[in-house]
Amino acid sequence: MFQIQKLPATSTSGHINQKPLFVRHESTNNVIDNIENKYYPSLEKDFILKDSIRSAFHRASVFFNKANRPDVITDGACRASDIRTIRTRLSAYIDNMPDDLEKELDEAKADGDLVTVQRIYAELVAKTYQDPLSLQEQTSRQTTSASSETIEIISETEDKYIEGAPTFCGEMSYLFYHFLCQEGVDPNEMRVICFTQEDSHIDPDSLNNHALIIYSSNKELLKKMENYCGVGEHHDHDGSYSHFINICTERNQEKDVLLLIDPWNRDNKIIDPLIKDRVFEYIKNSNKDEQKIEKIFLKHLVDTILIESEVLPQDHNQYDFNDLWEASICIDKPIDSSSDESEGDYQS
């Protein structure tokens, strides 16, 4: 999924050093290719949804700056700390939103209408990142801090790619959510959800978490999930992650579409539980219970994301529902907590 180019750079001793440059749109292009090549069986059930997700990836690609991920190589032009500037600007948009939008938000919060709350917040996040001044400032910072060789390589890439302002998983999920809405996807069929590390030995405020989008054509499934998972806070439900997996499997596989879309993931993954890969065959060969097969496989797919995001430890057993490690999950309620978000490497 990665394309690493070596850039020549001269050290103070006069020797030529090799500086890596991460071509950030590469993994996004791979996802788009996978969509076009019918890699995701669920998307073949709904061609309008397929086109909408593909278009959203095209539109969002310029914002896939994951400078805060230690596992992503960058050219060093954009620092993870720059997210504070973005969040300050986002807070200003929230505090000064138009009266009609604020009224709509207040009514939605009073009614417990999380769909409208998330849709409005997504609009404000998109406004923050699409502000011409914001992009101008970020582009200026890049071109003044990057070497001339770096700028030349960036300008020669196929899409004339320019790295934008940095995103954490929360901002990226809401940006993508906004683009999906603009592409015609019903917001009632989406939720931004957040997985949180569970560890009694760690200060709750420093727990790793990871946000992504769940899409389901079965709105009742999302409502059930919303009622179970709660909103915007850490919950003490025993086995909440396992219950989440159980809810996801309560669908008609022939008719319903279920996807987990993780645009901040290193490879911009779309998790489609209908993909039957080698892991699925391994689980199937070792277990004859059809319902349990799907649960274990979906858990494996989600675990992979959570391990990469350090919500689950590297030695987590992805095939064992009785594993010691768990993850809490909630439906995100963004505007109540957006100003208090942590600045950790993987936190949303």
PDB file of all heavy atoms in Angstrom, residues 9 17 19 26 63 70 75 79 87 115 134 137 154 163 170-171 214 239 254 294 298 328:
ATOM      1  N   ALA A   9      19.483  14.383  -0.386  1.00  0.00           N
ATOM      2  CA  ALA A   9      19.661  15.540   0.494  1.00  0.00           C
ATOM      3  C   ALA A   9      21.110  15.585   0.935  1.00  0.00           C
ATOM      4  O   ALA A   9      21.747  14.551   1.137  1.00  0.00           O
ATOM      5  CB  ALA A   9      18.738  15.441   1.702  1.00  0.00           C
ATOM      6  N   ASN A  17      22.487  12.219   1.670  1.00  0.00           N
ATOM      7  CA  ASN A  17      21.626  11.356   2.479  1.00  0.00           C
ATOM      8  C   ASN A  17      20.392  10.976   1.685  1.00  0.00           C
ATOM      9  O   ASN A  17      20.016  11.676   0.744  1.00  0.00           O
ATOM     10  CB  ASN A  17      21.193  12.069   3.767  1.00  0.00           C
ATOM     11  CG  ASN A  17      22.374  12.369   4.680  1.00  0.00           C
ATOM     12  OD1 ASN A  17      23.342  11.616   4.700  1.00  0.00           O
ATOM     13  ND2 ASN A  17      22.286  13.463   5.427  1.00  0.00           N
ATOM     14  N   LYS A  19      16.478  10.645   1.872  1.00  0.00           N
ATOM     15  CA  LYS A  19      15.330  11.072   2.667  1.00  0.00           C
ATOM     16  C   LYS A  19      14.066  10.458   2.078  1.00  0.00           C
ATOM     17  O   LYS A  19      13.776  10.653   0.901  1.00  0.00           O
ATOM     18  CB  LYS A  19      15.226  12.592   2.656  1.00  0.00           C
ATOM     19  CG  LYS A  19      14.075  13.140   3.501  1.00  0.00           C
ATOM     20  CD  LYS A  19      14.068  14.655   3.450  1.00  0.00           C
ATOM     21  CE  LYS A  19      12.923  15.211   4.286  1.00  0.00           C
ATOM     22  NZ  LYS A  19      12.873  16.683   4.223  1.00  0.00           N
ATOM     23  N   GLU A  26      -1.260   7.286  -2.578  1.00  0.00           N
ATOM     24  CA  GLU A  26      -1.110   5.947  -3.136  1.00  0.00           C
ATOM     25  C   GLU A  26      -2.133   4.968  -2.560  1.00  0.00           C
ATOM     26  O   GLU A  26      -2.821   4.266  -3.293  1.00  0.00           O
ATOM     27  CB  GLU A  26       0.303   5.429  -2.877  1.00  0.00           C
ATOM     28  CG  GLU A  26       0.551   4.000  -3.372  1.00  0.00           C
ATOM     29  CD  GLU A  26       0.479   3.887  -4.876  1.00  0.00           C
ATOM     30  OE1 GLU A  26       0.596   4.915  -5.564  1.00  0.00           O
ATOM     31  OE2 GLU A  26       0.296   2.767  -5.376  1.00  0.00           O
ATOM     32  N   PHE A  63      -6.981  15.477   1.935  1.00  0.00           N
ATOM     33  CA  PHE A  63      -6.968  15.683   3.377  1.00  0.00           C
ATOM     34  C   PHE A  63      -6.362  14.510   4.130  1.00  0.00           C
ATOM     35  O   PHE A  63      -6.329  14.525   5.353  1.00  0.00           O
ATOM     36  CB  PHE A  63      -8.404  15.907   3.892  1.00  0.00           C
ATOM     37  CG  PHE A  63      -9.069  17.117   3.299  1.00  0.00           C
ATOM     38  CD1 PHE A  63     -10.048  16.986   2.330  1.00  0.00           C
ATOM     39  CD2 PHE A  63      -8.713  18.388   3.700  1.00  0.00           C
ATOM     40  CE1 PHE A  63     -10.671  18.086   1.783  1.00  0.00           C
ATOM     41  CE2 PHE A  63      -9.317  19.509   3.155  1.00  0.00           C
ATOM     42  CZ  PHE A  63     -10.301  19.360   2.197  1.00  0.00           C
ATOM     43  N   PRO A  70       2.776   7.552  13.939  1.00  0.00           N
ATOM     44  CA  PRO A  70       4.207   7.224  13.932  1.00  0.00           C
ATOM     45  C   PRO A  70       4.576   6.177  12.896  1.00  0.00           C
ATOM     46  O   PRO A  70       5.749   6.008  12.572  1.00  0.00           O
ATOM     47  CB  PRO A  70       4.454   6.709  15.361  1.00  0.00           C
ATOM     48  CG  PRO A  70       3.124   6.268  15.852  1.00  0.00           C
ATOM     49  CD  PRO A  70       2.121   7.168  15.204  1.00  0.00           C
ATOM     50  N   ASP A  75       7.213  13.796   4.841  1.00  0.00           N
ATOM     51  CA  ASP A  75       8.364  14.596   4.425  1.00  0.00           C
ATOM     52  C   ASP A  75       8.737  15.615   5.490  1.00  0.00           C
ATOM     53  O   ASP A  75       9.626  16.430   5.297  1.00  0.00           O
ATOM     54  CB  ASP A  75       8.090  15.297   3.089  1.00  0.00           C
ATOM     55  CG  ASP A  75       6.975  16.319   3.198  1.00  0.00           C
ATOM     56  OD1 ASP A  75       6.448  16.503   4.309  1.00  0.00           O
ATOM     57  OD2 ASP A  75       6.628  16.934   2.172  1.00  0.00           O
ATOM     58  N   ARG A  79       3.608  19.157  10.894  1.00  0.00           N
ATOM     59  CA  ARG A  79       3.781  18.542  12.202  1.00  0.00           C
ATOM     60  C   ARG A  79       2.431  18.126  12.776  1.00  0.00           C
ATOM     61  O   ARG A  79       1.416  18.777  12.547  1.00  0.00           O
ATOM     62  CB  ARG A  79       4.463  19.513  13.162  1.00  0.00           C
ATOM     63  CG  ARG A  79       5.793  20.035  12.657  1.00  0.00           C
ATOM     64  CD  ARG A  79       6.364  21.023  13.650  1.00  0.00           C
ATOM     65  NE  ARG A  79       5.455  22.135  13.898  1.00  0.00           N
ATOM     66  CZ  ARG A  79       5.384  23.217  13.127  1.00  0.00           C
ATOM     67  NH1 ARG A  79       6.170  23.319  12.062  1.00  0.00           N
ATOM     68  NH2 ARG A  79       4.539  24.187  13.409  1.00  0.00           N
ATOM     69  N   ARG A  87      -7.994  22.652  15.404  1.00  0.00           N
ATOM     70  CA  ARG A  87      -9.048  22.492  16.395  1.00  0.00           C
ATOM     71  C   ARG A  87      -9.467  23.827  17.013  1.00  0.00           C
ATOM     72  O   ARG A  87     -10.631  24.012  17.375  1.00  0.00           O
ATOM     73  CB  ARG A  87      -8.600  21.496  17.468  1.00  0.00           C
ATOM     74  CG  ARG A  87      -8.593  20.072  16.939  1.00  0.00           C
ATOM     75  CD  ARG A  87      -8.178  19.062  17.966  1.00  0.00           C
ATOM     76  NE  ARG A  87      -8.403  17.706  17.465  1.00  0.00           N
ATOM     77  CZ  ARG A  87      -8.018  16.611  18.097  1.00  0.00           C
ATOM     78  NH1 ARG A  87      -7.403  16.698  19.252  1.00  0.00           N
ATOM     79  NH2 ARG A  87      -8.253  15.427  17.574  1.00  0.00           N
ATOM     80  N   VAL A 115     -28.056  11.705  14.684  1.00  0.00           N
ATOM     81  CA  VAL A 115     -27.784  11.817  13.252  1.00  0.00           C
ATOM     82  C   VAL A 115     -27.602  13.289  12.873  1.00  0.00           C
ATOM     83  O   VAL A 115     -26.635  13.659  12.186  1.00  0.00           O
ATOM     84  CB  VAL A 115     -28.912  11.183  12.424  1.00  0.00           C
ATOM     85  CG1 VAL A 115     -28.694  11.454  10.937  1.00  0.00           C
ATOM     86  CG2 VAL A 115     -28.969   9.681  12.670  1.00  0.00           C
ATOM     87  N   SER A 134      -7.163  28.511   5.545  1.00  0.00           N
ATOM     88  CA  SER A 134      -6.544  27.382   6.222  1.00  0.00           C
ATOM     89  C   SER A 134      -5.624  26.620   5.280  1.00  0.00           C
ATOM     90  O   SER A 134      -4.493  26.302   5.615  1.00  0.00           O
ATOM     91  CB  SER A 134      -7.624  26.439   6.762  1.00  0.00           C
ATOM     92  OG  SER A 134      -7.053  25.257   7.270  1.00  0.00           O
ATOM     93  N   GLU A 137      -2.508  28.766   4.404  1.00  0.00           N
ATOM     94  CA  GLU A 137      -1.517  28.766   5.470  1.00  0.00           C
ATOM     95  C   GLU A 137      -0.740  27.458   5.487  1.00  0.00           C
ATOM     96  O   GLU A 137       0.475  27.445   5.638  1.00  0.00           O
ATOM     97  CB  GLU A 137      -2.208  28.965   6.819  1.00  0.00           C
ATOM     98  CG  GLU A 137      -2.755  30.376   7.033  1.00  0.00           C
ATOM     99  CD  GLU A 137      -3.535  30.481   8.328  1.00  0.00           C
ATOM    100  OE1 GLU A 137      -3.774  29.426   8.953  1.00  0.00           O
ATOM    101  OE2 GLU A 137      -3.900  31.608   8.712  1.00  0.00           O
ATOM    102  N   ILE A 154       7.041  16.309  -5.164  1.00  0.00           N
ATOM    103  CA  ILE A 154       5.603  16.409  -4.924  1.00  0.00           C
ATOM    104  C   ILE A 154       4.896  16.947  -6.155  1.00  0.00           C
ATOM    105  O   ILE A 154       3.854  16.461  -6.580  1.00  0.00           O
ATOM    106  CB  ILE A 154       5.314  17.301  -3.699  1.00  0.00           C
ATOM    107  CG1 ILE A 154       5.806  16.604  -2.419  1.00  0.00           C
ATOM    108  CG2 ILE A 154       3.832  17.620  -3.583  1.00  0.00           C
ATOM    109  CD1 ILE A 154       5.682  17.454  -1.181  1.00  0.00           C
ATOM    110  N   GLU A 163       0.184  18.320   0.288  1.00  0.00           N
ATOM    111  CA  GLU A 163      -0.235  17.872   1.603  1.00  0.00           C
ATOM    112  C   GLU A 163      -1.029  18.965   2.302  1.00  0.00           C
ATOM    113  O   GLU A 163      -0.609  20.114   2.376  1.00  0.00           O
ATOM    114  CB  GLU A 163       1.018  17.519   2.406  1.00  0.00           C
ATOM    115  CG  GLU A 163       0.761  16.973   3.790  1.00  0.00           C
ATOM    116  CD  GLU A 163       2.082  16.619   4.444  1.00  0.00           C
ATOM    117  OE1 GLU A 163       2.601  15.527   4.162  1.00  0.00           O
ATOM    118  OE2 GLU A 163       2.587  17.442   5.225  1.00  0.00           O
ATOM    119  N   GLY A 170     -10.788  11.369  14.274  1.00  0.00           N
ATOM    120  CA  GLY A 170     -12.100  11.998  14.421  1.00  0.00           C
ATOM    121  C   GLY A 170     -12.396  12.974  13.311  1.00  0.00           C
ATOM    122  O   GLY A 170     -13.444  12.907  12.657  1.00  0.00           O
ATOM    123  N   GLU A 171     -11.470  13.905  13.073  1.00  0.00           N
ATOM    124  CA  GLU A 171     -11.671  14.883  12.001  1.00  0.00           C
ATOM    125  C   GLU A 171     -11.802  14.207  10.637  1.00  0.00           C
ATOM    126  O   GLU A 171     -12.648  14.581   9.827  1.00  0.00           O
ATOM    127  CB  GLU A 171     -10.506  15.882  11.964  1.00  0.00           C
ATOM    128  CG  GLU A 171     -10.492  16.886  13.093  1.00  0.00           C
ATOM    129  CD  GLU A 171      -9.819  16.367  14.353  1.00  0.00           C
ATOM    130  OE1 GLU A 171      -9.266  15.242  14.327  1.00  0.00           O
ATOM    131  OE2 GLU A 171      -9.844  17.082  15.364  1.00  0.00           O
ATOM    132  N   ILE A 214     -19.531   3.701  10.613  1.00  0.00           N
ATOM    133  CA  ILE A 214     -20.248   2.472  10.308  1.00  0.00           C
ATOM    134  C   ILE A 214     -21.417   2.836   9.405  1.00  0.00           C
ATOM    135  O   ILE A 214     -22.143   3.804   9.658  1.00  0.00           O
ATOM    136  CB  ILE A 214     -20.727   1.737  11.575  1.00  0.00           C
ATOM    137  CG1 ILE A 214     -21.405   0.414  11.178  1.00  0.00           C
ATOM    138  CG2 ILE A 214     -21.636   2.599  12.447  1.00  0.00           C
ATOM    139  CD1 ILE A 214     -21.656  -0.518  12.348  1.00  0.00           C
ATOM    140  N   GLY A 239     -18.199  -6.509  28.216  1.00  0.00           N
ATOM    141  CA  GLY A 239     -18.230  -7.101  26.883  1.00  0.00           C
ATOM    142  C   GLY A 239     -18.921  -6.248  25.841  1.00  0.00           C
ATOM    143  O   GLY A 239     -19.532  -6.771  24.914  1.00  0.00           O
ATOM    144  N   GLU A 254     -28.184 -11.329   2.643  1.00  0.00           N
ATOM    145  CA  GLU A 254     -28.563 -11.261   1.242  1.00  0.00           C
ATOM    146  C   GLU A 254     -29.044  -9.865   0.848  1.00  0.00           C
ATOM    147  O   GLU A 254     -28.873  -9.442  -0.300  1.00  0.00           O
ATOM    148  CB  GLU A 254     -29.667 -12.281   0.949  1.00  0.00           C
ATOM    149  CG  GLU A 254     -29.251 -13.723   1.167  1.00  0.00           C
ATOM    150  CD  GLU A 254     -28.094 -14.119   0.267  1.00  0.00           C
ATOM    151  OE1 GLU A 254     -28.113 -13.713  -0.924  1.00  0.00           O
ATOM    152  OE2 GLU A 254     -27.183 -14.824   0.737  1.00  0.00           O
ATOM    153  N   GLU A 294     -19.087 -16.092  11.350  1.00  0.00           N
ATOM    154  CA  GLU A 294     -19.198 -14.687  10.967  1.00  0.00           C
ATOM    155  C   GLU A 294     -18.772 -13.771  12.104  1.00  0.00           C
ATOM    156  O   GLU A 294     -18.081 -12.772  11.891  1.00  0.00           O
ATOM    157  CB  GLU A 294     -20.622 -14.350  10.549  1.00  0.00           C
ATOM    158  CG  GLU A 294     -20.744 -12.899  10.070  1.00  0.00           C
ATOM    159  CD  GLU A 294     -22.162 -12.512   9.700  1.00  0.00           C
ATOM    160  OE1 GLU A 294     -23.071 -13.336   9.886  1.00  0.00           O
ATOM    161  OE2 GLU A 294     -22.337 -11.387   9.221  1.00  0.00           O
ATOM    162  N   LEU A 298     -15.702 -11.178  11.722  1.00  0.00           N
ATOM    163  CA  LEU A 298     -15.901  -9.732  11.850  1.00  0.00           C
ATOM    164  C   LEU A 298     -15.059  -9.183  12.990  1.00  0.00           C
ATOM    165  O   LEU A 298     -14.475  -8.101  12.868  1.00  0.00           O
ATOM    166  CB  LEU A 298     -17.385  -9.430  12.086  1.00  0.00           C
ATOM    167  CG  LEU A 298     -17.767  -7.946  12.159  1.00  0.00           C
ATOM    168  CD1 LEU A 298     -17.358  -7.211  10.895  1.00  0.00           C
ATOM    169  CD2 LEU A 298     -19.274  -7.799  12.395  1.00  0.00           C
ATOM    170  N   SER A 328     -14.065  -0.763  24.623  1.00  0.00           N
ATOM    171  CA  SER A 328     -15.382  -0.166  24.790  1.00  0.00           C
ATOM    172  C   SER A 328     -15.749   0.559  23.507  1.00  0.00           C
ATOM    173  O   SER A 328     -14.878   1.047  22.780  1.00  0.00           O
ATOM    174  CB  SER A 328     -15.357   0.813  25.966  1.00  0.00           C
ATOM    175  OG  SER A 328     -16.599   1.451  26.115  1.00  0.00           O
TER     176      SER A 328
END
